[in-house]
Amino acid sequence: MNALAATNRNFRHAAKLLGLDSKLEKSLLIPFREIKVECTIPKDDGTLASYVGFRVQHDNARGPMKGGIRYHPEVDPDEVNALAQLMTWKTAVANIPYGGAKGGIGCVPGELSSSELERLTRVFTQKIHDLIGIHTDVPAPDMGTNSQTMAWILDEYSKFHGHSPAIVTGKPIDLGGSLGREAATGRGVLFAAEALLSEYGKPISGQRFVIQGFGNVGSWAARLISEAGGKVVAVSDVTGAIKNKDGLDIPKLLEHVVKNRGIKGFDGGDALDAKSLLVEDCDVLIPAALGGVINKENANDIRAKFIVEAANHPTDPEADEILSKKGVHIVPDIYANAGGVTVSYFEWVQNIQGFMWDENKVNNELKTYMTRAFKDLKSMCKNHNCDLRMGAFTLGVNRVARATLLRGWEA
């Protein structure tokens, strides 16, 4: 099931549990605005190349729309639409005053030089600058983009609107980025795992973790879990997978990854078939890579007792049902990976105030937001007698629905 179909299905289930009026349900599902632009740039060799850029602005009932911009060959309107909608529910679950948006350009960033990427980013910004804004829609980095991409957007946007550091988040620190932003999603995953395990009287220390994906989120989650005493017994990335039943030496692995651009060849564990990583024996499984990796084909073989979804939409609805029958507890993505957008909110607040926080304040505030959101989510589970995923969806959808009704938009 693709991301949009799965997201719509979860939304409809939540709307039913909440008893939403059918008109309101429909208005919450339809995006506020969908933007499609053609970006033509001169390549380094003098030829012209065209790329299609998208921005879907889903909902602004609770505040400015917020969401990443990804550079990836598979960026298409359906995927961007699903991710924009997920951002609406995610910001509501975290209880930060934002709505959802998402954007992207269909390209292979690895095949473009730095100057070509800069030209592409600037042209994209020129095409959408009057549709985004500090109090309208605030982009952030996503797959294939980074703090440098945000710096280019900030600079290009500021040419039209004056100095505007709050127009994007995930910027370099020197341009008003927040301390703690780089580790935020991974740190949020740690707090989500702590919240879940504490429900069952378990600490992080001594638990065995398997992490699929060793990019920004997976590597920070591994580092912070390891520092908290958890045992990371297996990890994978695009170059391969490794395991060590006694726990991998994460600081050494991080050094190896920087030097060798991947985990392949690390001598602190045994090589493993990447496809079998998800079914390794562990206490907590953290999918931190692509969507749809846990499906009906492999769900029966998963041996983890808990799953913390660090990636967007890693579990198909069919797999959800199988895992639920097996008694596996899943912390859903719209809560588990909300650390990034929460610290993006802190960055935006700091930019608007013109006053920067120290890293301890950022991390402490993040813990407060993640802990409070888990408590709110559990309370919805109790009210509606549902699992954690529906607890998160009912929490998010209910907050957006209430804001919509209070504004009087549903008519």
Side-chain angles (χ1 to χ4, degrees):
M1 188 179 288
N2 75 19
L4 184 61
T7 304
N8 286 348
R9 176 174 155 162
N10 286 329
F11 166 78
R12 288 204 168 92
H13 190 179
K16 198 174 169 185
L17 286 174
L18 292 163
L20 292 190
D21 170 78
S22 61
K23 276 195 303 186
L24 177 60
E25 184 182 331
K26 195 176 175 185
S27 77
L28 289 178
L29 210 48
I30 297 167
F32 169 77
R33 185 190 281 138
E34 296 185 47
I35 304 151
K36 181 180 176 185
V37 293
E38 190 178 1
C39 304
T40 303
I41 59 159
K43 299 283 289 285
D44 291 345
D45 62 7
T47 60
L48 287 180
S50 278
Y51 302 91
V52 178
F54 299 98
R55 187 75 178 164
V56 173
Q57 298 171 332
H58 180 256
D59 190 282
N60 60 357
R62 299 182 69 257
M65 293 164 285
K66 184 91 190 80
I69 289 179
R70 58 176 52 184
Y71 289 0
H72 194 271
E74 286 168 26
V75 165
D76 67 61
D78 259 15
E79 186 197 39
V80 176
N81 216 314
L83 294 169
Q85 189 195 134
L86 274 176
M87 283 301 296
T88 298
W89 316 135
K90 187 186 295 186
T91 52
V93 167
N95 208 10
I96 51 181
Y98 281 147
K102 206 73 175 186
I105 298 176
C107 67
V108 183
E111 290 176 4
L112 297 171
S113 69
S114 178
S115 59
E116 287 167 342
L117 281 170
E118 180 176 351
R119 287 196 287 276
L120 181 57
T121 303
R122 288 183 184 278
V123 168
F124 184 52
T125 308
Q126 288 163 18
K127 297 280 176 103
I128 66 166
H129 77 88
D130 54 346
L131 297 168
I132 60 173
I134 291 163
H135 300 293
T136 311
D137 177 6
V138 183
D142 202 303
M143 277 164 65
T145 58
N146 55 25
S147 59
Q148 178 60 72
T149 321
M150 296 305 108
W152 292 328
I153 295 174
L154 161 62
D155 183 65
E156 198 61 31
Y157 182 86
S158 296
K159 289 175 185 174
F160 295 94
H161 303 276
H163 181 60
S164 312
I167 184 55
V168 286
T169 59
K171 302 179 289 294
I173 302 292
D174 293 339
L175 291 178
S178 177
L179 295 169
R181 174 63 186 87
E182 193 196 333
T185 311
R187 195 177 295 279
V189 168
L190 168 73
F191 294 150
E194 275 179 346
L196 175 68
L197 290 169
S198 69
E199 287 285 305
Y200 299 90
K202 298 171 187 283
I204 291 282
S205 62
Q207 299 298 310
R208 296 164 307 140
F209 291 79
V210 165
I211 300 176
Q212 186 209 29
F214 209 67
N216 173 273
V217 180
S219 62
W220 272 107
R223 178 185 306 196
L224 296 165
I225 285 163
S226 169
E227 285 171 7
K231 272 205 294 192
V232 181
V233 294
V235 299
S236 69
D237 68 4
V238 288
T239 66
I242 46 162
K243 69 171 179 176
N244 182 335
K245 63 177 178 19
D246 299 319
L248 294 157
D249 184 331
I250 297 298
K252 267 192 180 167
L253 176 58
L254 289 163
E255 278 175 32
H256 174 88
V257 168
V258 170
K259 276 185 200 155
N260 301 279
R261 294 189 163 196
I263 61 178
K264 192 179 181 182
F266 181 65
D267 58 9
D270 304 317
L272 172 71
D273 174 21
K275 283 180 183 165
S276 68
L277 179 102
L278 294 165
V279 299
E280 277 298 307
D281 187 25
C282 64
D283 300 305
V284 185
L285 171 62
I286 301 178
L290 295 168
V293 293
I294 300 173
N295 46 50
K296 61 183 179 194
E297 275 77 45
N298 61 12
N300 272 313
D301 302 323
I302 283 174
R303 292 190 272 175
K305 301 171 193 72
F306 304 100
I307 296 174
V308 180
E309 295 185 337
N312 283 323
H313 178 60
T315 314
D316 273 352
E318 297 97 324
D320 244 350
E321 285 170 24
I322 296 166
L323 292 164
S324 177
K325 282 174 188 156
K326 284 176 66 175
V328 178
H329 301 282
I330 304 173
V331 183
D333 50 357
I334 62 168
Y335 164 70
N337 65 26
V341 72
T342 304
V343 175
S344 275
Y345 163 60
F346 300 160
E347 181 178 329
W348 180 75
V349 166
Q350 292 168 73
N351 294 155
I352 287 171
Q353 289 181 325
F355 181 79
M356 304 312 287
W357 302 354
D358 66 34
E359 197 163 346
N360 270 346
K361 180 173 169 65
V362 173
N363 294 342
N364 290 337
E365 287 287 340
L366 175 59
K367 182 156 195 176
T368 301
Y369 272 75
M370 291 298 289
T371 309
R372 189 170 57 209
F374 191 77
K375 211 172 122 201
D376 294 344
L377 187 162
K378 284 294 291 182
S379 147
M380 290 303 266
C381 292
K382 204 172 160 188
N383 290 349
H384 297 286
N385 190 23
C386 59
D387 62 12
L388 292 168
R389 188 178 309 284
M390 272 307 114
F393 265 88
T394 51
L395 177 63
V397 171
N398 190 45
R399 280 179 173 158
V400 179
R402 281 172 54 189
T404 303
L405 288 170
L406 287 166
R407 282 173 173 266
W409 287 355
E410 90 292 353

